[in-house]
């Protein structure tokens, strides 16, 4: 199962905030999609969502592998989780956990000279300034529950999702 759409790029003002929204939905092992579709339902070993940035655009993709008898239920649950994110406030504890995870992951991703070079390469090829990562940290620290819901409603438009289901 692959679902996705064209998406905003790194240079968009909402990009860093939408990273937090994506993380909550399916960006890490403790995400809502993992809890629902892997842990609660047992449909898959893994499911994730992520943003793939290219030079002139981006894609937002949700991907998982499931047995064919679970494919329709999986798509239904993915859509349900998106709608919950759009319509119900994220609990404070969940948002705090995601923020801490994202900030901690960033730090661990810069622990070698090659990793730092990769971070520099990202801002260089995206045409972003040196202040981008400072803004990254500030934005993640400051985003609130209302903004998460607003961004989910604005960008995670279920009717815009292209779906590829094989099997």
């Amino acid at each position: 199962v692959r679902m996705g759409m064209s998406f905003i790029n790194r240079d968009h003002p909402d990009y860093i905030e939408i990273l937090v929204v994506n993380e909550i939905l399916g960006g890490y092992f403790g995400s809502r999609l993992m809890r629902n579709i892997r842990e609660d339902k047992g449909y898959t070993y893994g499911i994730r969502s992520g943003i793939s940035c290219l030079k002139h655009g981006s894609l937002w993709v949700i991907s998982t592998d499931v047995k064919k008898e679970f494919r329709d239920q999986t798509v239904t649950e993915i859509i349900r989780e998106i709608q919950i994110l759009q319509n119900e406030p994220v609990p404070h504890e969940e948002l705090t956990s995601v923020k801490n995870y994202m900030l901690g992951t960033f730090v661990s991703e810069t622990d070698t000279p090659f990793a730092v070079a990769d971070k520099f390469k990202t801002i260089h090829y995206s045409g972003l300034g040196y202040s981008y990562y400072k803004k990254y940290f500030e934005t993640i620290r400051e985003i609130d529950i209302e903004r998460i819901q607003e961004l989910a409603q604005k960008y995670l438009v279920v009717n815009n999702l292209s779906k590829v289901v094989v099997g």
Side-chain angles (χ1 to χ4, degrees), residues 57-85:
S58 294
L59 301 170
W60 179 60
V61 178
I62 300 168
S63 60
T64 189
D65 295 322
V66 297
K67 292 182 178 180
K68 68 180 178 179
E69 61 260 26
F70 300 134
R71 69 179 176 220
D72 294 336
Q73 298 98 313
T74 299
V75 170
T76 299
E77 289 300 317
I78 290 168
I79 291 169
R80 187 174 80 78
E81 288 295 341
I82 292 169
Q83 291 169 336
I84 290 169
L85 195 53

Side-chain angles (χ1 to χ4, degrees), residues 100-119:
N100 290 337
Y101 173 80
M102 290 179 74
L103 296 173
T105 299
F106 182 92
V107 171
S108 71
E109 291 173 346
T110 56
D111 62 352
T112 69
F114 293 111
V116 172
D118 279 341
K119 294 294 186 193

Side-chain angles (χ1 to χ4, degrees), residues 14-31:
D14 294 339
Y15 180 77
I16 297 170
E17 291 176 311
I18 202 69
L19 288 175
V20 180
V21 176
N22 176 73
E23 205 74 23
I24 292 167
L25 181 68
Y28 77 116
F29 194 77
S31 72

Side-chain angles (χ1 to χ4, degrees), residues 6-161:
S6 295
F7 215 62
I8 60 174
N9 216 344
R10 279 189 187 96
D11 59 357
H12 191 284
D14 294 339
Y15 180 77
I16 297 170
E17 291 176 311
I18 202 69
L19 288 175
V20 180
V21 176
N22 176 73
E23 205 74 23
I24 292 167
L25 181 68
Y28 77 116
F29 194 77
S31 72
R32 291 176 174 205
L33 291 176
M34 282 293 272
R35 284 194 314 261
N36 179 345
I37 296 169
R38 175 194 158 110
E39 295 172 15
D40 295 347
K41 306 276 184 315
Y43 293 163
T44 187
Y45 183 74
I47 183 168
R48 69 172 330 291
S49 63
I51 303 169
S52 295
C53 292
L54 307 168
K55 186 170 184 172
H56 300 291
S58 294
L59 301 170
W60 179 60
V61 178
I62 300 168
S63 60
T64 189
D65 295 322
V66 297
K67 292 182 178 180
K68 68 180 178 179
E69 61 260 26
F70 300 134
R71 69 179 176 220
D72 294 336
Q73 298 98 313
T74 299
V75 170
T76 299
E77 289 300 317
I78 290 168
I79 291 169
R80 187 174 80 78
E81 288 295 341
I82 292 169
Q83 291 169 336
I84 290 169
L85 195 53
Q86 293 170 329
N87 297 311
E88 297 177 18
V90 173
H92 178 74
E93 299 79 24
E94 181 180 14
L95 181 55
T96 299
S97 292
V98 168
K99 288 178 175 187
N100 290 337
Y101 173 80
M102 290 179 74
L103 296 173
T105 299
F106 182 92
V107 171
S108 71
E109 291 173 346
T110 56
D111 62 352
T112 69
F114 293 111
V116 172
D118 279 341
K119 294 294 186 193
F120 173 76
K121 186 172 73 172
T122 296
I123 61 170
H124 176 73
Y125 287 120
S126 298
L128 303 169
Y130 291 119
S131 64
Y132 178 78
Y133 292 119
K134 179 180 180 194
K135 181 181 175 195
Y136 177 88
F137 272 79
E138 289 170 355
T139 301
I140 290 173
R141 284 187 189 116
E142 292 172 9
I143 193 167
D144 62 25
I145 293 165
E146 293 79 20
R147 184 69 174 147
I148 297 288
Q149 197 170 351
E150 177 187 322
L151 290 163
Q153 292 168 358
K154 182 176 180 179
Y155 292 108
L156 309 185
V157 180
V158 172
N159 291 337
N160 291 349
L161 283 170

